[in-house]
Amino acid sequence: MRHIASSVVAGIVFSVVVGAPALAQKKYDPGASDTTIRIGNIMPYSGPASAYSVIGKTQAAYFKKINDEGGINGRKIEFITYDDGYSPPKAVEQARKLVESDEVLLIFSPMGTPSNAAIQKYMNARKVPQLFPASYSAKWSDPKAYPWTMLLGTSYKTEGGIYAAYILREKPDAKIAILYQNDDFGKELLNGLKAGLGSKASMIVAEAPYEVADPTIDSQIVKLRHSGADVMFSFGTPKFVAQSIKKIGELGWKPMHFIPNVASSVGTVLVPAGVENAQGVLSGTFIKDASDPQWDNDRGMKAYTSFLAKYMPDANKADSLMVHGYLGAQLMVQVLKQSGDNLTRENVMKQAASIKDFESDVLIPGIVINTGKNDFAPLEDMQMMRFKGSKWEPFGEVIRGRSDG
């Protein structure tokens, strides 16, 4: 992948009060004290994946909400977030700055599979938590090899396998075409699909990679259409998934079309693609859709929409990326609560691996978060959904995935 130049968002620091139950003896590592917990973050505020930066903005707003409600044991969080432009070399540079110069206790929710892969060895060598990346690669759920890195959402490999199971059940004679981002993110979805298809992987009749620096993927879509496929997978980030939906519509092609959960935002992907082009598109989810009226009287969704109204009044409610950011922030706060006054990096990881039946405001009913010392995959479930009219409609039972870590 070509290096993408970016400028650093100069240490945006969001200060909030978050604390924990008192313990008999206080213990601290760099980044923590009686008054402060310093957390680092890396986001693509510029570059081809800049749509994801709303995740970091949502998390900053959520931490401010916790502060305004009295915090946790009087501690103040300094949330320091830098731009990496979706460039792995820049991500490494920013991680080093956060750990060695800013002396953060941990790095929370760094965005992107390539960027997280680039910093993973460094974070583990320094024994600094790399918690809940805004990337759902199975690489983040391997406690034996990487005991300082932990996944958040259902992994891309598991997600690909869930789509394979759906295809084998609903369209066993399918001819499959696949557009995929030519990096760790796109390849993991692709490999998860192939693994799920198993001996039926010959159903795949065409594949077309693209680079994140490519301006469009129109030529790849035209090529895939000519393959004779009647099922299409767009394994990409929001910009390119929106392009694929739009181009397929322009061509008058009508395949069964799947897109990944992380590129299923109505506001960021489907509206720009044209909702008329997105009708019938399929995906999987573990979070509620804030724009769906079915959740209007849901207690958790009411809490989420109240948060948006007060702390992000100009935000696009239809942008599901904010829901992902909110989910991660809620789980991070839970880990800090459980850590009490033992705010060492070792104890933070211990508590992250001790989550039991945690219910977020934004998780689909029936899906809860659990972790263990050998289970660094907090979420492993999804429910299928289909886009109809102007919103996603979940259908079928929650599908239990399988951890890869």
Side-chain angles (χ1 to χ4, degrees), residues 5 23 46 70 78 125 128 141 247 275 278 291 318 386 391:
L23 296 179
S46 63
E78 294 180 6
V128 177
S141 59
K247 187 62 178 179
V275 292
S291 65
R386 180 181 290 106
K391 62 185 179 68

Side-chain angles (χ1 to χ4, degrees), residues 319-340:
D319 189 347
S320 63
L321 293 175
M322 294 188 300
V323 182
H324 287 271
Y326 185 94
L327 169 63
Q330 280 203 314
L331 186 56
M332 185 71 257
V333 168
Q334 178 65 22
V335 171
L336 292 173
K337 286 180 179 179
Q338 290 183 196
S339 297

Side-chain angles (χ1 to χ4, degrees), residues 50-347:
S50 59
Y52 285 117
S53 64
V54 72
I55 293 174
K57 296 171 185 176
T58 303
Q59 291 163 346
Y62 186 79
F63 292 145
K64 186 175 188 308
K65 169 184 176 294
I66 296 299
N67 175 41
D68 290 348
E69 292 173 349
I72 304 173
N73 202 32
R75 287 191 176 85
K76 178 181 179 181
I77 285 187
E78 294 180 6
F79 184 60
I80 307 172
T81 180
Y82 291 127
D83 182 20
D84 73 347
Y86 203 63
S87 163
K90 178 63 71 173
V92 173
E93 177 184 326
Q94 305 296 38
R96 287 182 177 276
K97 183 176 181 180
L98 287 166
V99 172
E100 298 171 25
S101 298
D102 297 312
E103 294 189 316
V104 296
L105 178 65
L106 57 93
I107 291 182
F108 160 67
S109 192
M111 212 299 292
T113 303
S115 292
N116 275 282
I119 70 173
Q120 188 176 24
K121 288 184 179 179
Y122 169 78
M123 297 296 293
N124 280 263
R126 294 297 297 253
K127 297 183 178 180
V128 177
Q130 179 185 6
L131 281 178
F132 316 132
S135 157
Y136 299 151
S137 173
K139 293 180 179 181
W140 323 141
S141 59
D142 186 354
K144 291 183 179 179
Y146 297 104
W148 297 90
T149 303
M150 183 177 284
L151 179 65
L152 173 58
T154 302
S155 76
Y156 302 132
K157 187 173 182 180
T158 296
E159 182 178 359
I162 286 172
Y163 297 150
Y166 181 82
I167 286 290
L168 291 172
R169 184 176 70 247
E170 301 295 329
K171 199 174 178 62
D173 59 347
K175 294 180 180 179
I176 301 171
I178 305 168
L179 173 77
Y180 68 95
Q181 190 160 295
N182 192 25
D183 60 13
D184 290 343
F185 159 63
K187 290 177 181 176
E188 183 172 327
L189 280 161
L190 175 65
N191 291 335
L193 177 68
K194 288 181 175 179
L197 291 173
S199 62
K200 299 293 185 180
S202 57
M203 296 165 72
I204 299 172
V205 297
E207 300 176 16
Y210 73 86
E211 306 296 328
V212 294
D214 291 347
T216 75
I217 42 79
D218 286 0
S219 61
Q220 286 95 327
I221 297 298
V222 171
K223 172 189 172 184
L224 293 172
R225 182 199 183 193
H226 288 154
S227 70
D230 54 13
V231 173
M232 170 70 186
F233 284 89
S234 293
F235 286 151
T237 44
K239 171 185 173 181
F240 298 101
V241 170
Q243 287 185 12
S244 73
I245 294 170
K246 184 177 182 179
K247 187 62 178 179
I248 288 170
E250 290 174 351
L251 292 173
W253 187 20
K254 302 288 186 182
M256 180 185 285
H257 191 187
F258 293 79
I259 64 175
N261 173 262
V262 294
S264 64
S265 170
V266 174
T268 306
V269 178
L270 304 184
V271 170
V275 292
E276 68 281 2
N277 297 319
Q279 298 303 306
V281 168
L282 295 160
S283 189
T285 188
F286 45 83
I287 58 172
K288 300 167 187 171
D289 179 356
S291 65
D292 189 341
Q294 76 164 304
W295 304 116
D296 285 353
N297 295 315
D298 178 79
R299 181 176 58 84
M301 189 51 70
K302 282 184 176 180
Y304 173 72
T305 53
S306 294
F307 156 75
L308 290 184
K310 183 174 182 179
Y311 293 94
M312 302 184 75
D314 298 325
N316 181 357
K317 182 180 176 181
D319 189 347
S320 63
L321 293 175
M322 294 188 300
V323 182
H324 287 271
Y326 185 94
L327 169 63
Q330 280 203 314
L331 186 56
M332 185 71 257
V333 168
Q334 178 65 22
V335 171
L336 292 173
K337 286 180 179 179
Q338 290 183 196
S339 297
D341 288 332
N342 183 358
L343 288 168
T344 61
R345 289 163 174 168
E346 181 178 6
N347 189 50

